[in-house]
Amino acid sequence: MAAESTPFELAQINIARLKAPLDSPQLKDFSDNLDPVNAIADAAPGFVWRLQGEGDDATDLRPYEDEWIIVNMSVWRDPESLTAFMYQGTHRELLARRREFFERLDEAVTALWWVPAGHLPTVTEARERLDHLRAHGPHPYAFTLRATFPAQQAAPLAPERADHETPEGATQG
């Protein structure tokens, strides 16, 4: 069955705070698997785009004042495509070992949002979405895989109200 075409795609940002330099022995397994995992993502059904710096990944980009924070951003056709990639194969194995490589942060480290098809989000846009999620919880403007919103509720601009209960239409996972 062919996927239904939609005017929206799913953007995601996730950040992590390194426990050691990327070229350290402690992060060797993580660093050695960046290219293979990115190649798997690039070929995955539903994959659209991923942020890249000077190399084939985004590990050289430091959009936060804290130089130990790295960022990953990508765009997918839908939450199911992203989930299928995240929880299979090498990515799943590395995800299970994330505490070896990254510090545990008390705030949300991942945010999702809908973008018009063909739009490539900027790091500034992604940071705003993650900050909004941290401040207000899941909302059509920024949400999580556990509390998603349909693309029809896409919120291109931050809501002006501060009373952000989980709106009707959220899917709790």
Side-chain angles (χ1 to χ4, degrees):
M1 170 186 259
E4 183 177 320
S5 178
T6 176
F8 293 99
E9 296 169 330
L10 185 72
Q12 74 83 27
I13 178 175
N14 67 79
I15 64 169
R17 189 166 197 282
L18 299 168
K19 282 189 167 182
L22 281 167
D23 60 355
S24 69
Q26 183 175 350
L27 268 65
K28 182 172 177 31
D29 282 350
F30 172 76
S31 296
D32 286 353
N33 279 289
L34 281 170
D35 288 342
V37 168
N38 285 335
I40 293 166
D42 292 350
F47 172 81
V48 177
W49 169 86
R50 68 181 164 84
L51 180 67
Q52 296 181 43
E54 292 295 319
D56 192 40
D57 59 55
T59 56
D60 63 318
L61 303 176
R62 293 294 193 275
Y64 286 85
E65 295 74 32
D66 184 340
E67 290 291 314
W68 289 90
I69 293 180
I70 59 172
V71 63
N72 176 295
M73 289 174 45
S74 56
V75 175
W76 295 80
R77 182 182 60 228
D78 50 44
E80 295 79 17
S81 299
L82 174 59
T83 301
F85 162 72
M86 286 178 55
Y87 298 113
Q88 292 184 38
T90 305
H91 188 272
R92 179 183 178 173
E93 294 167 15
L94 292 170
L95 189 60
R97 296 177 57 199
R98 68 187 171 275
R99 297 291 171 250
E100 293 177 37
F101 313 126
F102 310 116
E103 291 182 10
R104 182 174 185 81
L105 299 178
D106 292 333
E107 299 178 292
V109 295
T110 302
L112 309 173
W113 69 101
W114 293 105
V115 296
H119 172 73
L120 302 181
T122 66
V123 174
T124 300
E125 175 185 347
R127 283 187 61 174
E128 289 170 2
R129 302 288 179 144
L130 182 57
D131 289 346
H132 189 274
L133 177 68
R134 287 173 166 180
H136 304 289
H139 184 276
Y141 184 73
F143 50 91
T144 68
L145 280 174
R146 291 186 178 174
T148 62
F149 292 85
Q152 298 87 334
Q153 291 185 2
L157 302 173
E160 295 178 4
R161 299 179 334 168
D163 61 338
H164 294 274
E165 300 292 322
T166 300
E168 186 175 326
T171 303
Q172 299 290 331

